Amino acid sequence: MAARVDSAGNTYVFSDYDLVLLDAGPNRLAVMKLIRVLTNLSPRAAKHLIDHVPAIIAEDLELDYNYSFYFFKPSAQKMAQMFSALGAQTEIVER
């Protein structure tokens, strides 16, 4: 668990999460494209992640938007939903 303090002196406690790809499923090309969109990896690096599962796709994610301090960063649950819509299996791991 980590904590942050805002400018008013309030302390917020939250956990960081990692998104792990367990299986790319039948639609490997679409999963590779989604990895590239979410992580800005090269095609070769995205293919390497798919070929060497389990692989950490994203690190230091918030679990949900409600607790996120960075609203430009997708939440772990939202990213997992995107991958499951493509038939891939993912797991959210707490650090």
Side-chain angles (χ1 to χ4, degrees):
M1 290 244 173
R4 291 202 180 145
V5 180
D6 65 3
S7 60
N10 299 325
T11 303
Y12 298 95
V13 178
F14 63 94
S15 296
D16 288 329
Y17 295 89
D18 295 340
L19 185 67
V20 178
L21 179 68
L22 301 176
D23 183 28
N27 202 352
R28 294 169 53 94
L29 183 61
V31 171
M32 186 176 85
K33 288 180 180 180
L34 182 59
I35 290 172
R36 292 191 60 215
V37 166
L38 294 174
T39 62
N40 294 326
L41 290 175
S42 68
R44 176 181 262 177
K47 185 176 184 315
H48 186 310
L49 285 178
I50 290 174
D51 291 340
H52 297 90
V53 292
I56 296 176
I57 296 172
E59 297 178 305
D60 298 331
L61 297 171
E62 301 295 331
L63 185 62
D64 192 9
Y65 280 116
N66 296 337
Y67 304 108
S68 179
F69 288 93
Y70 303 104
F71 292 104
F72 61 90
K73 197 173 189 181
S75 68
Q77 290 176 340
K78 187 66 173 174
M79 288 177 72
Q81 288 173 356
M82 290 180 203
F83 282 102
S84 65
L86 297 174
Q89 295 177 359
T90 57
E91 180 180 18
I92 299 172
V93 179
E94 186 176 1
R95 295 176 120 209

PDB file of all heavy atoms in Angstrom, residues 21-44:
ATOM      1  N   LEU A  21      -1.059 -10.568 -18.625  1.00  0.00           N
ATOM      2  CA  LEU A  21      -1.680 -11.331 -19.702  1.00  0.00           C
ATOM      3  C   LEU A  21      -1.380 -12.806 -19.475  1.00  0.00           C
ATOM      4  O   LEU A  21      -0.223 -13.209 -19.423  1.00  0.00           O
ATOM      5  CB  LEU A  21      -1.139 -10.881 -21.059  1.00  0.00           C
ATOM      6  CG  LEU A  21      -1.682 -11.613 -22.278  1.00  0.00           C
ATOM      7  CD1 LEU A  21      -3.160 -11.279 -22.484  1.00  0.00           C
ATOM      8  CD2 LEU A  21      -0.887 -11.240 -23.518  1.00  0.00           C
ATOM      9  N   LEU A  22      -2.438 -13.614 -19.322  1.00  0.00           N
ATOM     10  CA  LEU A  22      -2.270 -15.048 -19.105  1.00  0.00           C
ATOM     11  C   LEU A  22      -2.378 -15.842 -20.399  1.00  0.00           C
ATOM     12  O   LEU A  22      -1.686 -16.842 -20.580  1.00  0.00           O
ATOM     13  CB  LEU A  22      -3.319 -15.550 -18.105  1.00  0.00           C
ATOM     14  CG  LEU A  22      -3.284 -14.899 -16.730  1.00  0.00           C
ATOM     15  CD1 LEU A  22      -4.426 -15.413 -15.875  1.00  0.00           C
ATOM     16  CD2 LEU A  22      -1.945 -15.139 -16.058  1.00  0.00           C
ATOM     17  N   ASP A  23      -3.274 -15.410 -21.301  1.00  0.00           N
ATOM     18  CA  ASP A  23      -3.460 -16.083 -22.578  1.00  0.00           C
ATOM     19  C   ASP A  23      -4.027 -15.083 -23.576  1.00  0.00           C
ATOM     20  O   ASP A  23      -4.961 -14.353 -23.252  1.00  0.00           O
ATOM     21  CB  ASP A  23      -4.412 -17.271 -22.410  1.00  0.00           C
ATOM     22  CG  ASP A  23      -4.590 -18.055 -23.701  1.00  0.00           C
ATOM     23  OD1 ASP A  23      -3.658 -18.053 -24.534  1.00  0.00           O
ATOM     24  OD2 ASP A  23      -5.655 -18.666 -23.876  1.00  0.00           O
ATOM     25  N   ALA A  24      -3.473 -15.060 -24.765  1.00  0.00           N
ATOM     26  CA  ALA A  24      -3.930 -14.105 -25.779  1.00  0.00           C
ATOM     27  C   ALA A  24      -5.234 -14.534 -26.425  1.00  0.00           C
ATOM     28  O   ALA A  24      -5.941 -13.708 -26.994  1.00  0.00           O
ATOM     29  CB  ALA A  24      -2.862 -13.915 -26.847  1.00  0.00           C
ATOM     30  N   GLY A  25      -5.571 -15.802 -26.344  1.00  0.00           N
ATOM     31  CA  GLY A  25      -6.820 -16.269 -26.920  1.00  0.00           C
ATOM     32  C   GLY A  25      -6.714 -16.459 -28.424  1.00  0.00           C
ATOM     33  O   GLY A  25      -5.626 -16.408 -29.008  1.00  0.00           O
ATOM     34  N   PRO A  26      -7.862 -16.644 -29.086  1.00  0.00           N
ATOM     35  CA  PRO A  26      -7.847 -16.938 -30.525  1.00  0.00           C
ATOM     36  C   PRO A  26      -7.566 -15.720 -31.404  1.00  0.00           C
ATOM     37  O   PRO A  26      -7.144 -15.866 -32.540  1.00  0.00           O
ATOM     38  CB  PRO A  26      -9.267 -17.468 -30.780  1.00  0.00           C
ATOM     39  CG  PRO A  26     -10.097 -16.825 -29.723  1.00  0.00           C
ATOM     40  CD  PRO A  26      -9.198 -16.705 -28.512  1.00  0.00           C
ATOM     41  N   ASN A  27      -7.772 -14.529 -30.886  1.00  0.00           N
ATOM     42  CA  ASN A  27      -7.627 -13.317 -31.680  1.00  0.00           C
ATOM     43  C   ASN A  27      -6.324 -12.596 -31.314  1.00  0.00           C
ATOM     44  O   ASN A  27      -6.331 -11.488 -30.790  1.00  0.00           O
ATOM     45  CB  ASN A  27      -8.842 -12.417 -31.448  1.00  0.00           C
ATOM     46  CG  ASN A  27      -9.037 -11.441 -32.577  1.00  0.00           C
ATOM     47  OD1 ASN A  27      -8.200 -11.326 -33.458  1.00  0.00           O
ATOM     48  ND2 ASN A  27     -10.134 -10.725 -32.537  1.00  0.00           N
ATOM     49  N   ARG A  28      -5.207 -13.235 -31.606  1.00  0.00           N
ATOM     50  CA  ARG A  28      -3.897 -12.720 -31.184  1.00  0.00           C
ATOM     51  C   ARG A  28      -3.545 -11.378 -31.824  1.00  0.00           C
ATOM     52  O   ARG A  28      -2.925 -10.533 -31.190  1.00  0.00           O
ATOM     53  CB  ARG A  28      -2.811 -13.741 -31.502  1.00  0.00           C
ATOM     54  CG  ARG A  28      -2.932 -15.010 -30.700  1.00  0.00           C
ATOM     55  CD  ARG A  28      -2.022 -16.107 -31.205  1.00  0.00           C
ATOM     56  NE  ARG A  28      -0.649 -15.729 -31.321  1.00  0.00           N
ATOM     57  CZ  ARG A  28       0.281 -15.928 -30.377  1.00  0.00           C
ATOM     58  NH1 ARG A  28      -0.056 -16.533 -29.277  1.00  0.00           N
ATOM     59  NH2 ARG A  28       1.511 -15.534 -30.566  1.00  0.00           N
ATOM     60  N   LEU A  29      -3.918 -11.182 -33.064  1.00  0.00           N
ATOM     61  CA  LEU A  29      -3.591  -9.933 -33.754  1.00  0.00           C
ATOM     62  C   LEU A  29      -4.302  -8.744 -33.105  1.00  0.00           C
ATOM     63  O   LEU A  29      -3.688  -7.693 -32.887  1.00  0.00           O
ATOM     64  CB  LEU A  29      -3.940 -10.027 -35.233  1.00  0.00           C
ATOM     65  CG  LEU A  29      -3.591  -8.808 -36.077  1.00  0.00           C
ATOM     66  CD1 LEU A  29      -2.090  -8.555 -36.033  1.00  0.00           C
ATOM     67  CD2 LEU A  29      -4.056  -8.992 -37.497  1.00  0.00           C
ATOM     68  N   ALA A  30      -5.565  -8.904 -32.783  1.00  0.00           N
ATOM     69  CA  ALA A  30      -6.305  -7.821 -32.132  1.00  0.00           C
ATOM     70  C   ALA A  30      -5.755  -7.535 -30.746  1.00  0.00           C
ATOM     71  O   ALA A  30      -5.668  -6.374 -30.327  1.00  0.00           O
ATOM     72  CB  ALA A  30      -7.788  -8.167 -32.046  1.00  0.00           C
ATOM     73  N   VAL A  31      -5.344  -8.577 -30.027  1.00  0.00           N
ATOM     74  CA  VAL A  31      -4.741  -8.387 -28.703  1.00  0.00           C
ATOM     75  C   VAL A  31      -3.414  -7.646 -28.837  1.00  0.00           C
ATOM     76  O   VAL A  31      -3.111  -6.743 -28.048  1.00  0.00           O
ATOM     77  CB  VAL A  31      -4.556  -9.747 -27.978  1.00  0.00           C
ATOM     78  CG1 VAL A  31      -3.748  -9.585 -26.711  1.00  0.00           C
ATOM     79  CG2 VAL A  31      -5.916 -10.366 -27.677  1.00  0.00           C
ATOM     80  N   MET A  32      -2.630  -7.989 -29.849  1.00  0.00           N
ATOM     81  CA  MET A  32      -1.358  -7.297 -30.072  1.00  0.00           C
ATOM     82  C   MET A  32      -1.591  -5.821 -30.379  1.00  0.00           C
ATOM     83  O   MET A  32      -0.886  -4.951 -29.880  1.00  0.00           O
ATOM     84  CB  MET A  32      -0.587  -7.955 -31.216  1.00  0.00           C
ATOM     85  CG  MET A  32       0.804  -7.380 -31.402  1.00  0.00           C
ATOM     86  SD  MET A  32       1.758  -8.209 -32.653  1.00  0.00           S
ATOM     87  CE  MET A  32       1.204  -7.358 -34.108  1.00  0.00           C
ATOM     88  N   LYS A  33      -2.606  -5.524 -31.181  1.00  0.00           N
ATOM     89  CA  LYS A  33      -2.921  -4.130 -31.489  1.00  0.00           C
ATOM     90  C   LYS A  33      -3.363  -3.371 -30.245  1.00  0.00           C
ATOM     91  O   LYS A  33      -2.985  -2.210 -30.049  1.00  0.00           O
ATOM     92  CB  LYS A  33      -4.004  -4.057 -32.560  1.00  0.00           C
ATOM     93  CG  LYS A  33      -3.525  -4.449 -33.923  1.00  0.00           C
ATOM     94  CD  LYS A  33      -4.632  -4.359 -34.945  1.00  0.00           C
ATOM     95  CE  LYS A  33      -4.154  -4.761 -36.316  1.00  0.00           C
ATOM     96  NZ  LYS A  33      -5.231  -4.671 -37.309  1.00  0.00           N
ATOM     97  N   LEU A  34      -4.156  -4.017 -29.379  1.00  0.00           N
ATOM     98  CA  LEU A  34      -4.586  -3.363 -28.147  1.00  0.00           C
ATOM     99  C   LEU A  34      -3.403  -3.099 -27.217  1.00  0.00           C
ATOM    100  O   LEU A  34      -3.308  -2.029 -26.609  1.00  0.00           O
ATOM    101  CB  LEU A  34      -5.642  -4.206 -27.440  1.00  0.00           C
ATOM    102  CG  LEU A  34      -6.221  -3.617 -26.162  1.00  0.00           C
ATOM    103  CD1 LEU A  34      -6.870  -2.259 -26.419  1.00  0.00           C
ATOM    104  CD2 LEU A  34      -7.210  -4.574 -25.539  1.00  0.00           C
ATOM    105  N   ILE A  35      -2.485  -4.039 -27.134  1.00  0.00           N
ATOM    106  CA  ILE A  35      -1.275  -3.834 -26.329  1.00  0.00           C
ATOM    107  C   ILE A  35      -0.501  -2.631 -26.857  1.00  0.00           C
ATOM    108  O   ILE A  35      -0.037  -1.793 -26.089  1.00  0.00           O
ATOM    109  CB  ILE A  35      -0.390  -5.095 -26.322  1.00  0.00           C
ATOM    110  CG1 ILE A  35      -1.061  -6.199 -25.509  1.00  0.00           C
ATOM    111  CG2 ILE A  35       0.995  -4.789 -25.753  1.00  0.00           C
ATOM    112  CD1 ILE A  35      -0.350  -7.532 -25.599  1.00  0.00           C
ATOM    113  N   ARG A  36      -0.379  -2.521 -28.166  1.00  0.00           N
ATOM    114  CA  ARG A  36       0.347  -1.398 -28.764  1.00  0.00           C
ATOM    115  C   ARG A  36      -0.334  -0.067 -28.463  1.00  0.00           C
ATOM    116  O   ARG A  36       0.334   0.930 -28.191  1.00  0.00           O
ATOM    117  CB  ARG A  36       0.479  -1.595 -30.266  1.00  0.00           C
ATOM    118  CG  ARG A  36       1.398  -2.751 -30.611  1.00  0.00           C
ATOM    119  CD  ARG A  36       1.747  -2.793 -32.061  1.00  0.00           C
ATOM    120  NE  ARG A  36       2.420  -1.558 -32.418  1.00  0.00           N
ATOM    121  CZ  ARG A  36       2.276  -0.964 -33.599  1.00  0.00           C
ATOM    122  NH1 ARG A  36       1.490  -1.477 -34.515  1.00  0.00           N
ATOM    123  NH2 ARG A  36       2.931   0.143 -33.863  1.00  0.00           N
ATOM    124  N   VAL A  37      -1.667  -0.046 -28.513  1.00  0.00           N
ATOM    125  CA  VAL A  37      -2.410   1.194 -28.251  1.00  0.00           C
ATOM    126  C   VAL A  37      -2.258   1.611 -26.789  1.00  0.00           C
ATOM    127  O   VAL A  37      -2.028   2.788 -26.490  1.00  0.00           O
ATOM    128  CB  VAL A  37      -3.902   1.015 -28.613  1.00  0.00           C
ATOM    129  CG1 VAL A  37      -4.739   2.139 -28.054  1.00  0.00           C
ATOM    130  CG2 VAL A  37      -4.068   0.923 -30.106  1.00  0.00           C
ATOM    131  N   LEU A  38      -2.362   0.661 -25.876  1.00  0.00           N
ATOM    132  CA  LEU A  38      -2.341   0.992 -24.454  1.00  0.00           C
ATOM    133  C   LEU A  38      -0.944   1.271 -23.910  1.00  0.00           C
ATOM    134  O   LEU A  38      -0.792   2.009 -22.938  1.00  0.00           O
ATOM    135  CB  LEU A  38      -2.977  -0.144 -23.636  1.00  0.00           C
ATOM    136  CG  LEU A  38      -4.468  -0.361 -23.863  1.00  0.00           C
ATOM    137  CD1 LEU A  38      -4.937  -1.595 -23.111  1.00  0.00           C
ATOM    138  CD2 LEU A  38      -5.265   0.859 -23.439  1.00  0.00           C
ATOM    139  N   THR A  39       0.093   0.687 -24.519  1.00  0.00           N
ATOM    140  CA  THR A  39       1.434   0.798 -23.951  1.00  0.00           C
ATOM    141  C   THR A  39       2.441   1.524 -24.832  1.00  0.00           C
ATOM    142  O   THR A  39       3.565   1.758 -24.398  1.00  0.00           O
ATOM    143  CB  THR A  39       1.999  -0.604 -23.650  1.00  0.00           C
ATOM    144  OG1 THR A  39       2.095  -1.326 -24.879  1.00  0.00           O
ATOM    145  CG2 THR A  39       1.128  -1.345 -22.664  1.00  0.00           C
ATOM    146  N   ASN A  40       2.075   1.830 -26.078  1.00  0.00           N
ATOM    147  CA  ASN A  40       2.989   2.469 -27.031  1.00  0.00           C
ATOM    148  C   ASN A  40       4.237   1.622 -27.312  1.00  0.00           C
ATOM    149  O   ASN A  40       5.323   2.153 -27.555  1.00  0.00           O
ATOM    150  CB  ASN A  40       3.409   3.863 -26.560  1.00  0.00           C
ATOM    151  CG  ASN A  40       2.257   4.822 -26.537  1.00  0.00           C
ATOM    152  OD1 ASN A  40       1.360   4.735 -27.380  1.00  0.00           O
ATOM    153  ND2 ASN A  40       2.257   5.728 -25.585  1.00  0.00           N
ATOM    154  N   LEU A  41       4.078   0.306 -27.294  1.00  0.00           N
ATOM    155  CA  LEU A  41       5.186  -0.587 -27.613  1.00  0.00           C
ATOM    156  C   LEU A  41       5.291  -0.778 -29.123  1.00  0.00           C
ATOM    157  O   LEU A  41       4.332  -0.567 -29.859  1.00  0.00           O
ATOM    158  CB  LEU A  41       4.977  -1.952 -26.953  1.00  0.00           C
ATOM    159  CG  LEU A  41       5.117  -2.022 -25.442  1.00  0.00           C
ATOM    160  CD1 LEU A  41       4.767  -3.419 -24.959  1.00  0.00           C
ATOM    161  CD2 LEU A  41       6.528  -1.662 -25.017  1.00  0.00           C
ATOM    162  N   SER A  42       6.451  -1.212 -29.561  1.00  0.00           N
ATOM    163  CA  SER A  42       6.649  -1.529 -30.974  1.00  0.00           C
ATOM    164  C   SER A  42       5.934  -2.839 -31.300  1.00  0.00           C
ATOM    165  O   SER A  42       5.601  -3.612 -30.394  1.00  0.00           O
ATOM    166  CB  SER A  42       8.142  -1.675 -31.268  1.00  0.00           C
ATOM    167  OG  SER A  42       8.645  -2.829 -30.622  1.00  0.00           O
ATOM    168  N   PRO A  43       5.693  -3.116 -32.575  1.00  0.00           N
ATOM    169  CA  PRO A  43       5.059  -4.392 -32.941  1.00  0.00           C
ATOM    170  C   PRO A  43       5.851  -5.604 -32.458  1.00  0.00           C
ATOM    171  O   PRO A  43       5.281  -6.593 -32.002  1.00  0.00           O
ATOM    172  CB  PRO A  43       5.005  -4.349 -34.469  1.00  0.00           C
ATOM    173  CG  PRO A  43       5.040  -2.909 -34.817  1.00  0.00           C
ATOM    174  CD  PRO A  43       5.858  -2.250 -33.748  1.00  0.00           C
ATOM    175  N   ARG A  44       7.156  -5.513 -32.542  1.00  0.00           N
ATOM    176  CA  ARG A  44       8.002  -6.637 -32.104  1.00  0.00           C
ATOM    177  C   ARG A  44       7.879  -6.864 -30.596  1.00  0.00           C
ATOM    178  O   ARG A  44       7.789  -8.004 -30.142  1.00  0.00           O
ATOM    179  CB  ARG A  44       9.450  -6.363 -32.470  1.00  0.00           C
ATOM    180  CG  ARG A  44      10.398  -7.426 -31.973  1.00  0.00           C
ATOM    181  CD  ARG A  44      11.809  -7.114 -32.329  1.00  0.00           C
ATOM    182  NE  ARG A  44      12.114  -7.884 -33.528  1.00  0.00           N
ATOM    183  CZ  ARG A  44      13.252  -7.820 -34.173  1.00  0.00           C
ATOM    184  NH1 ARG A  44      14.181  -6.999 -33.781  1.00  0.00           N
ATOM    185  NH2 ARG A  44      13.461  -8.566 -35.224  1.00  0.00           N
TER     186      ARG A  44
END
